[in-house]
């Protein structure tokens, strides 16, 4: 996400390349339950959130509380995670939650085979299903170890790629479906971070909605603090507290003596259950 995964310049270039139009798909409701399982009630946050590469120190989080933001995204794992996380521990999660912060778990899983650049983990058509399941298992283990309980969402980070490349796109969808299905089997809600011109569009406009994530966090850097007025997909999609919007990146901000470079998000979607 922004400089967290690629340089801002590189991501704008990739974003532009990946922006071919496809036909809009049918609506997707929020994921709230599965037939055979008693799910914990969804914990929803509506307001401003931020994401940044490394979880800030506890003192910085306390200094920032009560300002512009009420939630923070944290990178709980994934082989393609861009930063080490010295602050992100179960104790940190417990303390920032007690201070009133809501947390948004983010997992940087395998990336598309047609994506330019190198990544420690890339999926292929052959490995997509097995990798999706394995990464979901790892995501749940990492989130659980941090004190993020069953019923929490985990948002899968998929960076831009050429969705007009049919074989590549099909492999990504296979991976995402396997990841989502395994999350749900372990009673974690499935979320997805992607770009409105590519990776998010592939999910929103997929004809077959089977096992796709129930919550969509879309990157559209238009500086509009909203999850509704600039929503680029079908108006009936992701309407039940299921949307996040990354609307501004690389914003250097200072509060009470602590300066952090963050991406800004408008949020109306599930957050981690930590209490």
């Amino acid at each position: 996400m922004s400089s967290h995964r690629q340089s801002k310049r590189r991501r704008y270039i990739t974003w532009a390349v990946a922006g071919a139009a496809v036909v809009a798909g049918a609506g997707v409701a929020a994921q709230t339950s599965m037939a055979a399982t008693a799910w914990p009630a969804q914990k929803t946050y509506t307001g401003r959130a931020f994401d940044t590469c490394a979880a800030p120190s506890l003192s910085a989080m306390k200094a920032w509380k009560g300002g512009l933001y009420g939630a923070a995204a944290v990178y709980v794992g994934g082989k393609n995670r861009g930063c080490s996380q010295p602050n992100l521990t179960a104790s940190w999660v417990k303390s920032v939650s007690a201070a009133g912060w809501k947390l948004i778990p983010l997992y940087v899983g395998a990336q598309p085979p047609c994506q330019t650049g190198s990544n420690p983990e890339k999926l292929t058509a052959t490995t997509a299903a097995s990798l999706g399941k394995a990464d979901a298992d790892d995501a749940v283990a990492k989130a659980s170890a941090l004190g993020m309980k069953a019923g929490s969402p985990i948002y899968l980070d998929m960076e831009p790629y050429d969705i007009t490349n049919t074989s590549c796109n099909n492999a990504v969808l296979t991976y995402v479906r396997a990841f989502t299905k395994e999350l749900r089997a372990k009673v974690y809600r499935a979320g997805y971070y992607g770009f409105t011109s590519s990776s998010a569009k592939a999910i929103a406009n997929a004809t077959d909605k089977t096992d796709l994530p129930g919550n969509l966090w879309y990157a559209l850097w238009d500086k509009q603090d909203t999850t509704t007025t600039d929503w680029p997909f079908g108006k009936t999609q992701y309407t039940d507290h299921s949307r996040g919007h990354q609307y501004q990146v690389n914003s250097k901000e200072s509060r009470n003596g602590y300066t952090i470079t963050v991406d800004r998000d408008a949020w109306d979607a599930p957050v981690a259950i930590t209490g």
Side-chain angles (χ1 to χ4, degrees):
M1 302 170 71
S2 71
S3 58
H4 312 342
R5 290 273 298 111
Q6 299 175 340
S7 70
K8 186 176 179 182
R9 178 177 179 273
R10 179 180 177 81
R11 285 184 68 173
Y12 273 124
I13 292 171
T14 311
W15 192 13
V17 169
V22 295
V23 178
V28 176
Q31 175 193 321
T32 57
S33 65
M34 296 292 287
T37 306
W39 277 68
Q42 177 171 299
K43 185 175 182 179
T44 301
Y45 168 74
T46 302
R48 292 190 183 94
F50 75 83
D51 60 90
T52 190
C53 191
S57 67
L58 178 57
S59 56
M61 292 295 286
K62 288 181 176 179
W64 271 44
K65 189 66 185 77
L68 184 66
Y69 306 104
V74 290
Y75 289 83
V76 299
K79 291 181 179 178
N80 291 315
R81 184 170 64 175
C83 287
S84 60
Q85 302 291 336
N87 296 317
L88 187 55
T89 63
S91 175
W92 183 92
V93 168
K94 183 177 181 180
S95 295
V96 300
S97 297
W101 285 99
K102 307 299 186 292
L103 296 176
I104 302 164
L106 184 63
Y107 187 87
V108 191
Q111 296 298 301
C114 59
Q115 190 182 82
T116 57
S118 60
N119 287 297
E121 183 180 57
K122 276 194 173 183
L123 61 94
T124 67
T126 302
T127 64
S130 60
L131 265 180
K133 182 179 184 299
D135 281 352
D137 288 337
D138 183 57
V140 168
K142 295 292 197 302
S144 178
L146 290 169
M148 298 174 179
K149 300 179 181 180
S152 296
I154 299 176
Y155 292 84
L156 177 64
D157 181 334
M158 190 65 67
E159 296 295 315
Y161 67 96
D162 180 9
I163 62 175
T164 66
N165 182 326
T166 302
S167 62
C168 181
N169 193 56
N170 286 342
V172 170
L173 291 175
T174 296
Y175 172 81
V176 173
R177 288 189 172 102
F179 187 93
T180 299
K181 186 176 181 178
E182 186 68 3
L183 281 190
R184 292 174 178 170
K186 292 181 175 293
V187 198
Y188 278 75
R189 290 180 164 86
Y192 184 89
Y193 166 88
F195 282 69
T196 58
S197 59
S198 61
S199 44
K201 177 183 277 188
I203 297 300
N205 290 350
T207 301
D208 180 3
K209 304 298 185 184
T210 305
D211 289 330
L212 291 182
N215 303 283
L216 186 60
W217 180 0
Y218 62 103
L220 178 60
W221 301 336
D222 58 3
K223 298 184 179 181
Q224 300 298 309
D225 177 16
T226 180
T227 62
T228 56
T229 58
D230 66 353
W231 174 250
F233 306 120
K235 65 180 181 179
T236 62
Q237 290 180 280
Y238 300 96
T239 54
D240 188 15
H241 301 292
S242 301
R243 297 177 185 173
H245 173 205
Q246 185 185 65
Y247 64 87
Q248 184 175 344
V249 295
N250 298 330
S251 177
K252 189 174 182 179
E253 302 176 19
S254 297
R255 289 179 177 81
N256 297 319
Y258 289 87
T259 300
I260 310 172
T261 298
V262 302
D263 298 340
R264 292 186 172 192
D265 303 281
W267 204 259
D268 183 26
V271 293
I273 299 170
T274 59

